[in-house]
Amino acid sequence: KYVTGADDNGRLTAMKIDIVGDTGAFASYGPAVATRAAVHATGPYFVPNVSIGCTLAYTNNPWAGAMRGFGVPQVALAHEGQMDALAEKLGLDRFELRLINVLQPGLATATGQVLEQSVGLTTCLERLKPIYDSWSSEVKSGADTRRGVGLGTMYYGIGNTGVPNPSTAQVEWTADGQIILY
């Protein structure tokens, strides 16, 4: 359950989020899924006021676990639905709403982590904009069909939630289009 607030210009001001997870009869990876869902619940957006509650329940269902996403895809669907609903309510472009709210270097995530290095989502969205606009202009719906262009953003922390897990990688993209991995 999400409640999202923004000012008249679409700048996010608050999110109140309540998450309920069903881990089945055994914990399995349920606690890790619940933690990741809560950590990523506001998505890649700067939200200055956040309240996130997460309840994990044991039930008589088969045990639940994690399969690649650890709860992040589920909250991504929720926060992106909020962004679309907010854009519609405020009469704003949904692409621009995302662009003005994405995390930037120097801003903090919902957990208070200040992002001191590069945050690439703005660049990604700016590069995507001409393609998105082109595809959106070509959309034609009929009497019996609806067509559209999907839009969504998310971020996903890698490693063990709450446990340091540093790594590095180097990629070189040469002038002739070759990619070299180190």
Side-chain angles (χ1 to χ4, degrees):
K1 179 179 176 183
Y2 275 65
V3 177
T4 303
D7 64 21
D8 291 339
N9 297 318
R11 185 81 51 193
L12 295 173
T13 57
M15 281 190 180
K16 181 174 181 353
I17 303 162
D18 293 309
I19 301 167
V20 176
D22 175 353
T23 194
F26 303 97
S28 180
Y29 282 101
V33 170
T35 300
R36 281 200 175 265
V39 166
H40 293 82
T42 60
Y45 305 112
F46 176 66
V47 186
N49 302 289
V50 177
S51 172
I52 301 171
C54 188
T55 303
L56 183 63
Y58 291 100
T59 68
N60 62 347
N61 290 321
W63 94 57
M67 183 51 74
R68 307 293 185 264
F70 280 79
V72 180
Q74 292 87 335
V75 296
L77 181 66
H79 64 64
E80 290 308 290
Q82 287 289 284
M83 294 300 279
D84 284 342
L86 188 60
E88 185 175 335
K89 183 154 184 101
L90 294 173
L92 299 172
D93 179 80
R94 64 193 191 123
F95 194 101
E96 294 302 322
L97 182 67
R98 286 168 171 83
L99 192 57
I100 66 170
N101 285 292
V102 293
L103 288 163
Q104 304 287 335
L107 295 177
T109 66
T111 61
Q113 177 186 1
V114 177
L115 302 175
E116 297 173 0
Q117 302 298 318
S118 171
V119 182
L121 192 52
T122 298
T123 302
C124 179
L125 286 171
E126 288 171 345
R127 289 184 181 172
L128 178 64
K129 183 77 164 114
I131 298 165
Y132 175 81
D133 288 343
S134 174
W135 288 0
S136 295
S137 70
E138 296 172 10
V139 170
K140 295 190 178 16
S141 293
D144 296 331
T145 59
R146 295 210 182 251
R147 298 179 192 268
V149 177
L151 176 64
T153 59
M154 69 177 281
Y155 74 152
Y156 181 77
I158 299 173
N160 299 320
T161 300
V163 178
N165 190 11
S167 67
T168 62
Q170 281 187 286
V171 178
E172 181 179 340
W173 195 336
T174 64
D176 63 352
Q178 297 294 313
I179 297 175
I180 302 170
L181 303 174
Y182 298 98

